Amino acid sequence: MPANLVNFIQVLRSHDVRVSPAETLDAMHVATTLGYRDRMRLRDGLGMALAKTPAEEAVFNRCFDSYFNRGLADFSLDPEDNPGEEQAEAGEQEPGDAAEADPSTSDAAALEAAALNNPELAAVMNSDLMQALLNNDRNALTMAITQAGEGAGLQQIQMFTQKGQYTRKMLDAMGEQQLRGAIIELERAADPALASLQRYRDLLREQVRDFVDREYLLHAAGRNQQFMEDVLSKTRLSNIEHSYLHRVHELVRKMARKLATRHARKRRQYRRGHLDMPRTMRRGIANDGVMFNTYWRQVKREKPQLLAICDVSGSVAAYAKFLLLFLYSLQDVLPKVRSFAFSGQLGEVSDLFDEHPVEKAIEIVNWKYGGATDYGKSLEDFAQLALDDINNNTTVLILGDARNNNGDPRIDIMRSVYQRAKQVIWLNPESRRAWGTGDSEMFRYLSACHFSAECNNLKQLERVVDQLLKSTR
C-alpha cells in the first residue's frame, strides 16, 4: 500500500497540488494509523494532511475517488444474450431458475465439453485468468489488471495515442495470447464453443480498455496540462493565438502564486533600537525619577518602491500586458508599484489598476496610450511625473524594444534615472541579435541600466520577476 500512496501523491502533484516530502511522510503515518478498509475515513485523514486550500481540497477529492475506487465495470454478459436475466431482476423468475438461464453457465459447459478433445483449450480453461472470467471473480480480475498496468508502466501514460499500446502490453502480460491461440484452434475445428470463448476474450479486452481509459484520465490529464503550460511559457507572447489567452492568463496567475509563496515575508523579531536615555529620564520626572516607561531610538526605513514603465505601442503591447498582469498579481509581496504607459506620450496609470480589474485596466491602458513610439518625449514626461520621487530604494523596470523611429532618445534623462535609482532594469522582447539594428537605441540605453535582458515569453518573465523580488526584499 505505501507504493500506492506514493503513486497517488504523484497524481496530486501532476494536478498542481503541492505536496512536500514532509507532508508525504505525514500522509503515510495517517494511512498507517487509519488503514485502508474505510475509504471515507482514509480520504478525510489524507485530505487533512495533503490539501491546504479549498481549491486543493476539491482536486484532492476528485483524484482520490478516481484513484482508489478503481473497481471493474459490470462483468455480466450482454443482456440480449440472456432474456431471462431481466425477468429475474424483476422478480418474475425463481432464484433456482436463474442459474439455468445464465448464459455464463451454458458458455462454461460448452467450453468444458470442447476442452475434452482440445488440449490447448483445456490449458486455457485451467488458467487463473479464465477461471476468474468464468466465475466472474471481480477481485481476482481487478488485481490481475492492476498488476498488469503497474508492470506495463501505465502510470506514465501521457498521450491519447498511447492507450492502445498500453492495452496490448497489459493483455499480453495477463496471458490473453493463450486465449487467442485457443480461439484459432476452435476456428480451424469449426467448434460451436468458439462463440463462447470469443465472448470471454472480448469481455476481457473491454475491461482492460476501460481500465486504461480511467488511468489515462487520472494520470495524463495533469501531465497534459503541465506539457501545455510548458509550451505556452516558452512561446513568444506575440505568437500565442487568441484562443489560448485565457490559459496564459491562468498560467501567469499560477506563476505569480508560486513566486508569492516563495517570497512571502516571514515574521521577524526586530530589535527595539538604542535606548533613548534623555527621553526616558524626562518622562520619569513625574514619577520621582523612577523610569517606569522606556523609550527607544528607532531608525525609520523608507519602503522600497517599483516604477514600471511599459511601452504599449503595437509591437510591444502583448508583452506589456503580461508584465503588468504579473506585477499586479504580486501586490502582496512586491513593494509599492507605480505603473506608467507610453508610446508617443507617457502617463501614470496606477489609478486604473486601483479602480478596475487588472484585465480591464490593461485594456484601457492600451487604448489610451497606444500608437507610434517616441522614447524621447515619453522620458521627458516621466521626468516631470516621477524623477523627483526616485531614490536609492527605487527600482525602475522598463519594458520596451528601444525603437525610437530615429528620434532623440534623451539618454541624459535615462542617466539621471540611473544615478538616482537603486537599480534600473530594461526588458527587451526582441532577440539580442536585433538590438542596435535599424532605429533601435538599445545599446545606447544600456549605458544607463544596471541590468538588461531579452524577455519575450513567460518563462523569461518569471525568472526576471523572481530576481526582482529577491532584490527588493
Side-chain angles (χ1 to χ4, degrees), residues 354-462:
D354 295 332
E355 298 167 0
H356 303 281
V358 175
E359 289 85 352
K360 181 64 176 177
I362 292 172
E363 290 181 9
I364 297 173
V365 168
N366 289 337
W367 170 78
K368 188 174 182 179
Y369 290 97
T373 310
D374 187 341
Y375 274 77
K377 177 62 170 62
S378 299
L379 286 172
E380 291 175 5
D381 295 338
F382 178 72
Q384 293 177 1
L385 289 172
L387 188 60
D388 292 338
D389 298 329
I390 298 175
N391 55 42
N392 58 4
N393 277 319
T394 303
T395 296
V396 179
L397 178 63
I398 303 172
L399 175 68
D401 58 8
R403 295 195 174 274
N404 196 35
N405 296 315
N406 299 313
D408 184 357
R410 296 304 306 267
I411 300 296
D412 57 315
I413 298 178
M414 276 297 299
R415 287 178 180 149
S416 297
V417 173
Y418 176 83
Q419 292 167 0
R420 293 167 178 250
K422 175 183 179 181
Q423 59 180 345
V424 177
I425 301 172
W426 193 300
L427 306 180
N428 193 324
E430 289 190 340
S431 169
R432 282 187 178 271
R433 291 186 291 272
W435 294 7
T437 63
D439 61 347
S440 173
E441 302 286 354
M442 191 61 201
F443 286 146
R444 298 182 67 184
Y445 284 132
L446 287 180
S447 63
C449 296
H450 295 87
F451 173 77
S452 63
E454 176 185 332
C455 185
N456 51 46
N457 60 50
L458 291 182
K459 185 65 71 175
Q460 293 171 338
L461 185 57
E462 180 188 27

Side-chain angles (χ1 to χ4, degrees), residues 34 84 207 224 249 271 283 303 311 332 342 364 375 461:
L34 298 180
Q207 295 299 331
N224 286 345
H249 288 186
R271 293 182 179 179
R283 294 301 177 90
K303 293 183 179 180
D311 181 354
D332 292 338
F342 74 93
I364 297 173
Y375 274 77
L461 185 57

Side-chain angles (χ1 to χ4, degrees), residues 331-348:
Q331 292 184 82
D332 292 338
V333 292
L334 272 175
K336 179 183 178 182
V337 179
R338 292 177 62 186
S339 303
F340 302 84
F342 74 93
S343 52
Q345 59 178 351
L346 179 142
E348 184 168 0

Side-chain angles (χ1 to χ4, degrees), residues 249-262:
H249 288 186
E250 182 56 37
L251 179 56
V252 169
R253 294 188 183 92
K254 177 181 174 181
M255 289 177 167
R257 287 195 296 270
K258 182 175 71 174
L259 292 178
T261 301
R262 182 184 303 167

Side-chain angles (χ1 to χ4, degrees), residues 234-274:
K234 296 177 181 177
T235 302
R236 276 184 175 269
L237 294 172
S238 58
N239 293 338
I240 295 176
E241 296 182 7
H242 183 76
S243 58
Y244 289 106
L245 288 182
H246 69 286
R247 300 189 68 168
V248 179
H249 288 186
E250 182 56 37
L251 179 56
V252 169
R253 294 188 183 92
K254 177 181 174 181
M255 289 177 167
R257 287 195 296 270
K258 182 175 71 174
L259 292 178
T261 301
R262 182 184 303 167
H263 296 282
R265 286 183 169 84
K266 299 179 180 179
R267 295 182 179 179
R268 299 178 181 175
Q269 296 293 331
Y270 291 98
R271 293 182 179 179
R272 294 180 177 180
H274 296 288

Side-chain angles (χ1 to χ4, degrees), residues 204-223:
L204 175 64
R205 289 178 175 179
E206 179 183 351
Q207 295 299 331
V208 173
R209 282 196 299 267
D210 289 345
F211 185 85
V212 171
D213 284 340
R214 290 194 296 271
E215 292 297 292
Y216 169 77
L217 293 176
L218 178 63
H219 294 282
R223 290 195 181 97

